[in-house]
Amino acid sequence: GELLFRGPGVMLGYYHNPQATAEVLTADGWLRTGDLARIEADGALHLVGRCKELIIRSGFNVYPPEVEAALMTCPGVVQAAVAGRAVPGNEEVLAFVTTDGSTDATAIAAHLRGRLAPYKQPQHIVIVSAMPLTSAGKIRKPALVAGFAPSDAKPT
């Protein structure tokens, strides 16, 4: 679920912005972080992704970092980014990768079949020459999805 916390060091709200404050603070003072987390039996907390990045495929939660990690184990994959795309009645898992030229989308899909549950499998794998980056060096996933055309991808 989403990680929430509160305490004396948590902000009281956004300066002169009650609407933004209401979006991140609950009525009883808990801060919504936007991070997805799980707690192990021993109490260890693991961050598993961001709420906005969560893909709901056929009623199942797909966490992009998990799919990206599986993609990065594929020989020839240099970078990977996973995002969701709304389709009528569902969401698709889209994988964007850069490669060293030694692999293709068919080989990548075959590699993932042994590593991910069927609902986590990307419906499309797109090999791109370069990832669009922010000024901080993070991959701009919305730009990848916006530029996605099914004819560019290898269905899996």
Side-chain angles (χ1 to χ4, degrees), residues 66-143:
E66 180 183 2
V67 181
E68 290 164 356
L71 285 161
M72 292 304 296
T73 67
C74 182
V77 171
V78 176
Q79 281 184 302
V82 173
R85 180 178 79 133
V87 294
N90 211 348
E91 261 189 295
E92 288 184 318
V93 179
L94 305 179
F96 301 89
V97 297
T98 60
T99 70
D100 63 8
S102 66
T103 192
D104 63 13
T106 303
I108 295 168
H111 178 83
L112 293 178
R113 276 193 279 283
R115 288 166 176 75
L116 294 172
Y119 68 91
K120 296 177 183 179
Q121 300 287 326
Q123 281 64 58
H124 300 279
I125 296 173
V126 183
I127 296 178
V128 296
S129 59
M131 298 285 184
L133 303 175
T134 67
S135 59
K138 292 185 178 182
I139 296 173
R140 292 177 42 229
K141 291 181 182 183

Side-chain angles (χ1 to χ4, degrees), residues 136-154:
K138 292 185 178 182
I139 296 173
R140 292 177 42 229
K141 291 181 182 183
L144 288 168
V145 174
F148 172 75
S151 61
D152 296 338
K154 167 72 177 155

Side-chain angles (χ1 to χ4, degrees), residues 8 56 64:
I56 301 177

